[in-house]
Amino acid sequence: MANIEKRGEGRYRLTVFVRYDENGKQVRERKTVSAKNVTEAKKMLTQFEADILGGTYVRPEKMTLSKFYDDWLHKYAEDVYAYDTIRSHKLHLINRILPAFGHKKLSDIKTIHVVNLIETMKKPGSRMDGGEGPCSTSSIRNMHKAFTSVMGLAKQWGLVRENPCDGAKPPPMKRTRTEVNYDVETINRIAECIKRESLEKQVLFWVAFITSARQGEICALEEKHVLKEQQAIYFEQSLTEVVGEGIKIKSIKNNLEGAAAIPTGLMDMIDDLLRQRRKEKMVMRDKWLYPETIFVFADETGKPRRPDSISQWWNRFLKRYNLPYMRFHDLRHFSITYLIEKNVPMKSISDRARHARIDTTMNLYGHKIIDVDRLAASHFDSFLPPKSVDK
């Protein structure tokens, strides 16, 4: 028997009745957790009850970081994070965080411990690869993300009152902006050159530029994602290559699925490409690697193109036609910037880019928005007197 009691905004107390003692009194286990709503709290209660009845529950005051790591990995991370994120988090947890704090009780881990670990990583000789220099800023930040994830879950499950990582800020990442000439002339030059490529490569470019989709999302497109009646493409998954395991399909970044409308001309090209894929499937028969589906971008056996193979083709394409260097991923930025310059509403652009929040779009492309706004302001010059010239 178990129940939930609301204890405040976003706080719920979970109670599981374990047994009766020798005096006939109920023996209960309780813990207070953070949850968005009652539905989420009920899921936590189900897991809490299962842990108690299964004999795997450890009281919060006795739970060590090493013990909790297994719960974080199998009851949370594997369901929430993509493969690459889990691999990165495990690298830092197993090689750096657990050796230092694994023996500690969760409640004994304080902000100063995280601060000291960050400072240690800034010192020469702290690299895990044996290098003489300090850890890179990105490595420190990734360690902090892993530690924050584990301790954040401990807080959510009511095992600690606060996340000690919140008060220990990692060094800021120095962002370097790749200068790419985002202008109509460059678009037109690429558009002319891409006509000389195969149909698949033409469709690949136009899907990337028109939908602003990410590379892995494009590689994962299947025939079912082409919505002919709605004149759109639906993005719901992404493709990655796992070392030792091959190609894997994962959920889209931030789980933000969505459709992007496309022009009739591109839909016609995709139709032609899919017709070609269906013919290849008929020829290959039992040698077709994915009997249940057809990937839009694939080889003659139906195997989807890898993201890195697209980058390799793109680099060769740019060199072949003496085009300015840009990453294939830059087509996403190219697309968003182009829409900003065409004064498309920012909410529409953010939705199309599948950013989690509109302020993400504003932060990433604020400099371009200012340029467009400056152009808009210039239209009012005619109302104002010209600048006087000193004699």
Side-chain angles (χ1 to χ4, degrees), residues 47 76 86-87 95 131 140-141 164 175 187 192 195 198 208 292 294 338 340 372:
Q47 185 63 58
Y76 176 75
I86 293 178
R87 181 176 61 179
N95 294 316
I140 296 175
R141 292 179 66 85
R175 297 188 179 275
I187 297 172
E192 282 301 314
K195 293 177 183 177
S198 67
E292 303 302 321
I294 294 177
Y338 181 75
I340 291 173
V372 173

Side-chain angles (χ1 to χ4, degrees), residues 118 122 137 140-145 165 168-173:
I118 291 173
K122 293 179 181 178
T137 298
I140 296 175
R141 292 179 66 85
N142 287 336
M143 178 282 297
H144 186 267
K145 287 179 182 178
C165 299
K169 301 301 180 184
M173 179 68 75

Side-chain angles (χ1 to χ4, degrees), residues 68-69 71-90 93 141-154 156 163 238 240 242 248-255:
F68 185 65
Y69 166 76
D71 289 338
W72 169 84
L73 179 62
H74 300 300
K75 298 176 184 177
Y76 176 75
E78 291 176 344
D79 294 329
V80 173
Y81 295 128
Y83 172 85
D84 290 341
T85 303
I86 293 178
R87 181 176 61 179
S88 173
H89 282 2
K90 286 175 65 177
L93 285 161
R141 292 179 66 85
N142 287 336
M143 178 282 297
H144 186 267
K145 287 179 182 178
F147 212 163
T148 298
S149 175
V150 173
M151 297 306 297
L153 184 65
Q156 183 180 349
N163 184 342
S238 183
T240 188
V242 179
K248 297 287 184 182
I249 298 294
K250 62 179 182 179
S251 59
I252 210 164
K253 186 174 182 180
N254 300 321
N255 293 314

